[in-house]
Amino acid sequence: MWDDLVAQYAWADADEPEAYTFSVISGKTEDEVIRAFGGDPAACRMMTFAESVDEQASHLYEDYELLRVVTVDRHVIAIEWGFHGSIPEIARRASAGGGEFFSVYRNVNARYQVLHALDGRVDGVFDPFDLEDAAWMDPKPEVPVWAEGITFHMGALCAESFALMERTMGVAVDPAWMDASLRTVLLASPSTLGSDPAAAWLP
């Protein structure tokens, strides 16, 4: 069943899009998730992923990132051509008060991150790229309990990460969300995350 689940996400390792963060949040409303990410729920537009990428690209040298959200099966899905969902402090905020958060991040340099938080506490974050060579690394990267038994393979890192997301959160990620017009907000700079922005990046 695991191999079948991974196969469903082969699209995630294709060349396009080359960078994204998908976050799945349970126990929260769209407005609560938007606020946790640093957006204003009252200032929304409807945009596709491509439209948000084009708009962000027009502000390439500015601190300008957009977040798209949709609710599916009582989960809020947050989609970015950016990285807010990879920041531990946002995971803490989005899961605080009994929520759960899971994100999959890939950047233009083919670096990856999987992050999970429960009830305001990050209980695992790792780069699946590192795990393929974990046996030869010193120190060995730590694998959280919820990812134990998963073998990651070069060329399928995103598919395996999304499969792990679905197994953990119980909701499938649909690539059709990329082309759909979804509720979209402008996000505040990560530098505004509290009085110690550097601590926001620490698990």
Side-chain angles (χ1 to χ4, degrees):
M1 289 184 61
W2 174 253
D3 290 343
D4 292 340
L5 188 58
V6 171
Q8 294 176 17
Y9 290 109
W11 58 267
D13 289 289
D15 291 337
E16 297 292 342
E18 62 184 8
Y20 48 72
T21 306
F22 275 75
S23 305
V24 176
I25 304 97
S26 65
K28 301 291 177 177
T29 66
E30 286 185 12
D31 283 2
E32 289 171 329
V33 169
I34 287 170
R35 291 190 192 98
F37 272 73
D40 178 1
C44 294
R45 294 173 287 159
M46 302 300 289
M47 300 180 75
T48 67
F49 186 80
E51 288 169 342
S52 69
V53 170
D54 287 345
E55 182 164 318
Q56 285 183 227
S58 70
H59 298 269
L60 193 57
Y61 299 105
E62 304 172 36
D63 200 348
Y64 192 97
E65 294 206 23
L66 298 169
L67 178 75
R68 301 166 62 242
V69 296
V70 62
T71 300
V72 178
D73 296 333
R74 295 180 302 221
H75 294 79
V76 177
I77 315 299
I79 305 169
E80 310 167 69
W81 187 58
F83 58 86
H84 279 65
S86 71
I87 302 173
E89 178 61 19
I90 287 180
R92 285 189 282 269
R93 293 182 180 196
S95 65
E100 186 173 9
F101 180 100
F102 197 116
S103 68
V104 171
Y105 164 75
R106 174 187 179 181
N107 72 15
V108 295
N109 298 314
R111 299 304 298 179
Y112 307 85
Q113 180 182 282
V114 175
L115 183 153
H116 181 261
L118 189 63
D119 196 19
R121 184 180 68 85
V122 173
D123 63 357
V125 56
F126 64 92
D127 183 343
F129 182 92
D130 293 337
L131 297 186
E132 188 174 44
D133 296 322
W136 296 276
M137 297 178 70
D138 186 20
K140 292 182 179 181
E142 294 186 16
V143 179
V145 172
W146 44 266
E148 287 180 351
I150 302 299
T151 301
F152 288 88
H153 303 88
M154 199 64 60
L157 296 176
C158 290
E160 289 159 343
S161 296
F162 278 116
L164 180 58
M165 173 185 275
E166 180 174 343
R167 190 183 77 169
T168 304
M169 300 298 291
V171 61
V173 176
D174 188 346
W177 297 333
M178 305 297 272
D179 296 325
S181 263
L182 303 181
R183 192 178 179 198
T184 305
V185 296
L186 180 66
L187 298 180
S189 168
S191 65
T192 65
L193 292 173
S195 58
D196 186 358
W201 295 86
L202 301 176

